[in-house]
Amino acid sequence: MPGWSCLVTGAGGFLGQRIVQLLVQENDLEEIRVLDKIFRPETREEFYNLRTNIKVTLLEGDILDAQYLKRACQGISVVIHTAAIIDVTGVIPRQNILDVNLKGTQNLLEACVQASVPALIFCSSLNVAGPNSYKEIVLNGHEEEHHESTWSDPYPYSKKMAEKAVLAANGSILKNGGTLHTCALRPMYIYGERSPFISNIIITALKNKGILSVTGKFSIANPVYVGNVAWAHILAARGLRDPKKSPSVQGQFYYISDDTPHQSYDDLHCTLSKEWGFHLDSSWSLPLPLLYWLAFLLETVSFLLSPVYRYRPLFNRHLVTLLNSTFTFSYKKAQQNLGYEPLASWEEAKQKTSEWIGTLVKQHSETLEAKSQ
């Protein structure tokens, strides 16, 4: 296969950065274009300091700017699309989420057709599959089972519709007469160094004497390490470019998990941080059915107040369901079609994440020290 070029959207994000770090190790890659709306100074610095002979081009632009996207896609062989707004709590207005996650994806597909890009990999979400009810139990689910989210909440809805658009675009005729091939990856809950979710959990716990708030103790999940999710995207790019593998990958979606033990979200966060003295809140918590109906009540209040006041409930039914369901999936299909095997073991992933949490603890204590002086 001759030299190729890759555009990564959302490249400044938690997963996007890891994908770029792995891409620079690809032998026949000639250029990586990293696209994000804005890069933090430290991210920009990291991209400039990548030890590689591959050309790395930083692009700051909006995924909603169709003309900009078309220029960004010129001469590109593969697009890896990770740009998204992730919000399951209702902080961000619905329209913003739909614009970026759905309209942005549609813009990108059109840019691929106009610029004759032959391959696109979409980073989807487990939320596309559900869970729809905390009573539903899915253990080691797989792609042949029909799991589809019925939530109208903006994040799961926008990701579901965007994934449908990506898979429907497989086989589209490009401007140069070629064909666009697409696939989608559905990672489990992603953890690892620099996770914005874990960072928030730890910072909140540091302000609360090291007590981790209990949010998902009734769940059984199979979280996935960020490095392994990034690796799956590299393998999907290879798969779509390989004439032998490509027919079995085109138009498909894959659940991406690894060998992290099945556990609750709370237990995961506790395991990753206990070395630094963090522990779960042992005080009494509401029974799950009561929590669910309380969420329904809060949503109703929010809806009734909406004409005059924007009240945002602390939690909603989607979040309660998401954090308290038995919902795990096998990576067997990705193993068969993409040759996916996790790069990092559970022990390695746990150690690296725990070390990073240690740096957050250190930064926090340094900040407190500076304030007290």
Side-chain angles (χ1 to χ4, degrees), residues 206 362-373:
L206 283 166
K362 191 175 170 221
Q363 280 167 14
H364 181 75
S365 59
E366 284 170 358
T367 307
L368 288 180
E369 217 171 281
K371 277 182 183 172
S372 65
Q373 283 171 0

Side-chain angles (χ1 to χ4, degrees), residues 5-7 31-33 72-79 115-119:
S5 54
C6 185
L7 169 70
E31 184 187 5
I32 306 169
R33 289 183 203 161
C73 286
Q74 289 297 335
I76 287 290
S77 323
V78 179
V79 169
S116 299
V117 177

